[in-house]
Amino acid sequence: MWQSSPPGSIYDYIRVASFSIGPDGLIEQWSRRAAGLFGMASHEAVGRDPVDAFMPAELRSEGHRRVGEILDGKEWTGLVPFRMPGEGGAHGLAEIYVMPSLTAEGERAALCIVVDVRALRRIETDLAASQAIFGQSPFAFVLFGTDFTVVRANQRFATVFGGAADDHRGRTVDDYLAGPEAERLSATLKRVLDTGESVTDLQLIGTAPGESGRRHWSMNLYRVHSGSGRPVGIAGLATDVTRRHIAAREAASARRNLAILNEASVRIGNSLDLETTARELLDVAVPGFCDLASVDLYQGLLSGEEAPPGSWGSPHGESGGSAELRRVAHASAVADAMPTATAGPRAASGTECGTGADGLPPALGSVHRFPFGSPCAVALRTGHVEDVPGDGLGFVQSTLAVPMVAHDTVVGLVQFSRTKGSEPFGERDRVLATELAARAAVCIDNARLYRREHERALILQRSLLPPGDPEAAGLDIACRYLPGNTATEVGGDWFDVIELPGHRTALVVGDVMGRGLRAAVAMGELRTAVRTLALLDLEPAEVLAALDEVARGLGTPGTSGSGRGGGAQWPSRVAHKSREADLSEVYLATCVYAVYDPVTRRATFANAGHLPPVVAEPGRPAAMLDVPPGMPLGVGGEPFEEVEVELKEGALLALYTDGLVESREHPLDEGLQAFRDALTAPGQALEDVCDHVLSTLDTRHGEDDIALLMARIQGLPVDAVGDWRLPPEPRSVGRARELARSQLLAWDLDDLVDTTELLVSELVTNALRYGEGEIRIRLLRDRTLVCEVWDAGLVQPRRRRARDTDEGGRGLQLVGLLSAAWGSRRTPRGKTVWFELPLPDGERPAELSVEQLLSMY
């Protein structure tokens, strides 16, 4: 059967031509291929001498001799140089196969087969190069036919997939790859064959024969054509990129870990709350680092117990396991991962690390222990990361139990878990897990320390504020103290209500600049100093002047010794003291101090750099009192001024700190105006007025503490005051007793008549004996009975113990024994001696004992 040579056969590449020579030595037949090879058409070549037509002149004689031998019946094969006809014809080299033949008449002729030697050399070179590339390539090379079976594979390909190179002929992609990967490669081969578009870096994953690990290949595919351009297959060049993939994966893991650490530095520790810090850790870890995670903290740490370093990580508790822990946080990136929503990772808290009685992990907020031999208990005991086995169900494949260590103290345990399908934890992951747990542990330990100091500071600060609702004669008092946010709850704001002799009241509001424990301690020292100075019954300006000295001394570590001695034995100590003074903290504070007298309804104010008091009188808008501000406490060098103001009955007096009226959202003037506007209804109950002020103003900005002290003026009624002036003569003693008796009887205080007469007699007698000028007596009835005796003498009374032989000197002893309190104070024109008696409650006062009476003699 005749079959034409298909396109792309070897004859398309080898330039083969034929022609015949007749008995006369001339060209008799000329093929088309000969015309293409020599560039001469048939009608030009037939009838010509081939030697004269194509051979150089110097070879023609030899050529004629050879043609003659051929026509004599001799075969010949050789290389013959030739040139194209015409001027400038190209030269070539032909390999000629000459076969003698006979014509129909029996004459001798010849058939010549001509091959272009240059084409043969190119084919030989191409075949050698192709074989070298295909056979010696370090890359796996495979040629698929149009039916997608392997036509040829090189030795490198056979090395990977086994056997010899020829053994792979006829195989398909299913023999090398499984499932989806084989389908993906088959689809790609079809697309390349159909479209002719090459595919580069096709990533394939498979397993080589005899190996368990997965390999990664990068494959380039392109369509192969015949000489005539017909597609004959797809060539594939595959490179094993497993190491590169591992390196890239490790680099990506390193970048991910660095990103997680960077995120941890930003997100962990933004709060001083222990549970919040634990949740921040899990927010960073899940899902970027793991699929499931939980945090357990020691119960002792959460309850605020004091414990030495390491005691929280004790080897076992009462039940032989770890000390009690509480699950404070958990997170999961896997939907429906656990049977219960509050359970942590089963593997992370499974049978190896302890479960509840129901077999489930500890619920969020529950208190539990880890069994002594469990990996979690070992991690807590040793402070090292432990691997926890999987859950046995194939859900969790890898878990790390990481102790949270801060300053050599184990504060808890964090467990990171990865589920099936995720990459197991490696050494890099262990390092990252340790770093994450350590960062969170430091923040948690700092939060613990802060909470401890914060609670102490709160106890200190609350103990220094007036307990309950303060009471004062002639005043209705209401107060509010609002700390800033949780981070600034401890501050230096304070207020105080101090009872003074004569039913007078000192009202104080102050603010130590700064926050925290130092400010609270400074506030406590200043408040104590204010109370001490107030009990000395000094004028407001004198109180602030003395308080300024106290404030300046708070920041000085010590002054004794720097000026002692002489010579050179003190220079180092002096220099040390100087450095301490330079490094010491300067305490500055502002303060308003006011003394109110309910008899006169007059208040005396002194101000040390504080915001001015505000007064709202009935029927009039609130206004700020014009009190000279003075310098803050601790600055020194400037005296303080006093201002005396008469307050109307029912007026509101407000003392406050700057946190009430100042914030970043609005200037101070606007805050002060809003405060004054909020006091436009002074007729309301005082507690309601305070609530209205705080609800009207922006008091929740959390920038500063707020102290508000409000007082409604209620002077003593006229019938509650007895006031008399007596001349400095002996009969004034009897007159004083009579006046006191009649006033007490008018007040229905019969039980106090005898005691009051006796004590008034003693004080008036002392005023006559040791004082000067006119004597003034004043009785005040409020919550207690107060008697005051004025004179112009400057000498303060001094209580002393009389000797047995003394006839006098026992008056003040008697006053001290019979009164609830007594004392003296300076006045602008002399002094005042006073005593105080409690009002009767229906029971007769206790009589003095024999020992008390004898103590006066």
Side-chain angles (χ1 to χ4, degrees):
M1 181 178 66
W2 294 92
Q3 181 178 1
S4 62
S5 177
S9 66
I10 187 65
Y11 299 105
D12 291 334
Y13 298 96
I14 302 176
R15 302 179 66 180
V16 180
S18 63
F19 65 91
S20 62
I21 301 175
D24 54 1
L26 302 179
I27 297 174
E28 191 174 63
Q29 292 180 341
W30 190 254
S31 68
R32 292 181 179 177
R33 288 185 177 270
L37 175 63
F38 295 104
M40 182 178 294
S42 176
H43 67 277
E44 296 176 330
V46 173
R48 297 188 62 176
D49 186 340
V51 175
D52 294 338
F54 300 104
M55 294 186 68
E58 63 273 13
L59 299 177
R60 288 175 183 172
S61 60
E62 179 65 20
H64 286 113
R65 187 179 65 81
R66 292 287 185 184
V67 170
E69 292 177 354
I70 292 170
L71 293 177
D72 288 339
K74 184 178 180 181
E75 290 187 4
W76 182 82
T77 301
L79 297 176
V80 178
F82 71 91
R83 64 176 180 80
M84 300 297 184
E87 297 295 332
H91 292 266
L93 183 65
E95 186 174 25
I96 300 180
Y97 299 88
V98 182
M99 294 171 286
S101 61
L102 295 175
T103 64
E105 291 79 14
E107 293 179 315
R108 293 180 178 179
L111 177 64
C112 300
I113 303 299
V114 183
V115 178
D116 189 349
V117 175
R118 293 174 302 175
L120 287 175
R121 296 295 179 265
R122 284 197 303 270
I123 291 173
E124 290 175 354
T125 302
D126 291 345
L127 288 175
S130 175
Q131 183 62 30
I133 293 174
F134 197 84
Q136 301 174 21
S137 172
F139 307 109
F141 198 98
V142 61
L143 179 63
F144 294 95
T146 55
D147 57 354
F148 308 128
T149 60
V150 176
V151 175
R152 186 177 182 186
N154 67 351
Q155 188 57 42
R156 178 59 182 168
F157 185 88
T159 302
V160 174
F161 291 100
D166 292 339
D167 297 338
H168 294 274
R169 296 180 184 272
R171 293 184 179 180
T172 65
V173 294
D174 294 315
D175 296 318
Y176 306 104
L177 299 175
E181 291 294 284
E183 295 177 0
R184 192 159 62 91
L185 179 56
S186 297
T188 306
L189 290 173
K190 186 176 185 307
R191 186 174 71 252
V192 172
L193 183 63
D194 292 342
T195 64
E197 296 179 358
S198 301
V199 173
T200 59
D201 197 21
L202 175 64
Q203 296 293 319
L204 299 172
I205 301 176
T207 303
E211 296 182 3
S212 58
R214 295 189 303 175
R215 286 198 184 187
H216 295 259
W217 291 287
S218 172
M219 196 166 193
N220 298 328
L221 299 172
Y222 57 93
R223 191 170 66 182
V224 179
H225 303 85
S226 67
S228 62
R230 182 179 64 89
V232 296
I234 306 101
L237 183 65
T239 306
D240 191 334
V241 293
T242 304
R243 292 183 179 179
R244 187 174 71 187
H245 181 80
I246 294 174
R249 186 176 59 193
E250 291 180 352
S253 176
R255 288 193 298 269
R256 180 204 64 189
N257 291 355
L258 289 175
I260 292 175
L261 285 177
N262 181 65
E263 185 181 8
S265 64
V266 174
R267 298 182 62 180
I268 298 178
N270 293 321
S271 169
L272 290 173
D273 180 74
L274 301 178
E275 290 82 356
T276 301
T277 301
R279 289 193 295 270
E280 290 171 346
L281 168 62
L282 300 192
D283 290 341
V284 172
V286 179
F289 177 66
C290 62
D291 302 315
L292 304 167
S294 63
V295 176
D296 299 294
L297 298 180
Y298 278 109
Q299 180 67 9
L301 179 148
L302 295 169
S303 59
E305 298 176 7
E306 295 289 341
S311 62
W312 283 314
S314 56
H316 51 79
E318 297 176 358
S319 63
S322 67
E324 287 187 341
L325 298 105
R326 184 194 304 171
R327 175 136 309 172
V328 297
H330 74 272
S332 172
V334 183
D336 300 328
M338 301 307 303
T340 61
T342 58
R346 182 179 293 273
S349 299
T351 56
E352 292 81 6
C353 283
T355 58
D358 55 0
L360 293 176
L364 184 65
S366 64
V367 178
H368 62 95
R369 299 175 185 270
F370 292 123
F372 177 75
S374 65
C376 294
V378 173
L380 290 170
R381 185 168 60 251
T382 62
H384 297 118
V385 181
E386 293 291 328
D387 292 312
V388 182
D391 58 0
L393 302 176
F395 176 71
V396 174
Q397 68 164 340
S398 182
T399 297
L400 297 177
V402 187
M404 306 177 73
V405 183
H407 309 116
D408 297 327
T409 299
V410 179
V411 299
L413 184 80
V414 57
Q415 300 176 65
F416 303 105
S417 299
R418 288 180 178 173
T419 58
K420 185 178 181 181
S422 299
E423 185 178 353
F425 290 113
E427 189 59 34
R428 291 178 182 269
D429 298 322
R430 292 172 65 92
V431 174
L432 176 60
T434 303
E435 178 65 22
L436 289 175
R439 294 194 179 196
V442 170
C443 296
I444 288 175
D445 194 51
N446 290 341
R448 176 185 67 86
L449 295 175
Y450 169 80
R451 185 173 66 178
R452 184 184 66 185
E453 298 302 320
H454 186 255
E455 290 175 351
R456 293 176 178 176
L458 282 179
I459 294 173
L460 171 64
Q461 188 175 47
R462 298 299 184 266
S463 65
L464 295 176
L465 295 175
D469 296 326
E471 296 181 355
L475 292 176
D476 184 13
I477 301 291
C479 53
R480 295 290 188 273
Y481 178 82
L482 296 180
N485 55 35
T486 55
T488 61
E489 189 171 350
V490 179
D493 291 13
W494 91 92
F495 64 91
D496 209 347
V497 179
I498 307 170
E499 295 187 47
L500 299 178
H503 288 313
R504 295 172 304 131
T505 304
L507 303 175
V508 189
V509 167
D511 183 4
V512 177
M513 297 181 185
R515 298 187 181 94
L517 185 59
R518 288 181 176 270
V521 171
M523 177 271 286
E525 293 178 317
L526 292 177
R527 178 181 180 274
T528 302
V530 169
R531 279 191 158 265
T532 303
L533 295 169
L535 294 178
L536 294 177
D537 215 349
L538 301 176
E539 297 297 323
E542 294 177 326
V543 171
L544 292 186
L547 197 62
D548 179 63
E549 294 291 336
V550 174
R552 281 190 287 169
L554 292 180
T556 304
T559 56
S560 61
S562 60
R564 298 180 181 178
Q569 60 179 353
W570 295 100
S572 61
R573 178 176 297 182
V574 172
H576 178 67
K577 293 289 185 180
S578 176
R579 287 193 298 271
E580 284 187 342
D582 292 339
L583 296 175
S584 64
E585 183 174 354
V586 177
Y587 289 91
L588 297 178
T590 61
C591 180
V592 169
Y593 185 87
V595 175
Y596 171 70
D597 188 342
V599 178
T600 62
R601 293 200 315 274
R602 300 186 70 85
T604 304
F605 296 89
N607 189 353
H610 203 81
L611 293 173
V614 174
V615 173
E617 296 180 349
R620 301 184 61 182
M624 292 186 294
L625 293 179
D626 187 13
V627 180
M631 298 298 291
L633 301 176
V635 176
E638 294 293 333
F640 297 98
E641 300 182 40
E642 293 181 357
V643 173
E644 189 175 49
V645 179
E646 183 175 355
L647 302 172
K648 292 185 178 182
E649 186 77 16
L652 287 182
L653 173 64
L655 305 180
Y656 53 95
T657 56
D658 56 0
L660 180 67
V661 296
E662 186 177 20
S663 72
R664 295 188 181 94
E665 282 71 27
H666 55 75
L668 178 59
D669 291 341
E670 292 184 9
L672 290 172
Q673 183 60 50
F675 180 41
R676 294 196 297 270
D677 293 341
L679 296 176
T680 55
Q684 296 179 350
L686 197 56
E687 293 292 336
D688 295 338
V689 175
C690 286
D691 294 337
H692 175 69
V693 168
L694 296 180
S695 62
T696 302
L697 301 182
D698 180 17
T699 59
R700 297 298 177 183
H701 48 70
E703 296 173 9
D704 200 357
D705 301 340
I706 295 172
L708 175 62
L709 177 61
M710 299 190 69
R712 175 172 281 120
I713 305 303
Q714 296 174 348
L716 289 181
V718 176
D719 59 359
V721 179
D723 196 348
W724 309 277
R725 296 179 185 272
L726 301 175
E729 55 188 32
R731 64 179 181 178
S732 294
V733 177
R735 179 59 180 164
R737 287 197 298 266
E738 294 175 0
L739 292 172
R741 172 181 286 274
S742 60
Q743 185 66 67
L744 292 179
L745 291 176
W747 287 340
D748 295 328
L749 298 177
D750 301 25
D751 294 340
L752 299 181
V753 171
D754 294 339
T755 303
T756 303
E757 278 188 319
L758 177 59
L759 299 184
V760 166
S761 177
E762 289 294 335
L763 294 186
V764 173
T765 299
N766 284 343
L768 289 173
R769 181 176 298 178
Y770 304 107
E772 300 177 4
E774 184 182 45
I775 298 172
R776 181 183 177 188
I777 302 174
R778 189 167 73 172
L779 288 177
L780 307 176
R781 186 196 67 184
D782 193 69
R783 290 171 299 160
T784 61
L785 177 67
V786 174
C787 176
E788 299 174 321
V789 177
W790 276 275
D791 68 79
L794 298 178
V795 178
Q796 296 291 322
R798 180 174 59 88
R799 183 178 178 179
R800 64 185 179 88
R801 181 176 295 276
R803 293 175 295 183
D804 295 343
T805 58
D806 292 343
E807 295 181 0
R810 297 177 178 86
L812 291 181
Q813 284 183 274
L814 188 63
V815 173
L817 287 172
L818 295 179
S819 65
W822 77 278
S824 66
R825 67 178 184 273
R826 292 181 301 165
T827 64
R829 290 178 296 276
K831 67 177 180 296
T832 300
V833 184
W834 58 271
F835 67 85
E836 183 177 352
L837 294 175
L839 297 181
D841 54 2
E843 299 182 1
R844 294 183 59 86
E847 297 182 355
L848 295 177
S849 64
V850 176
E851 290 77 9
Q852 290 174 324
L853 291 173
L854 291 177
S855 67
M856 295 186 292
Y857 297 93

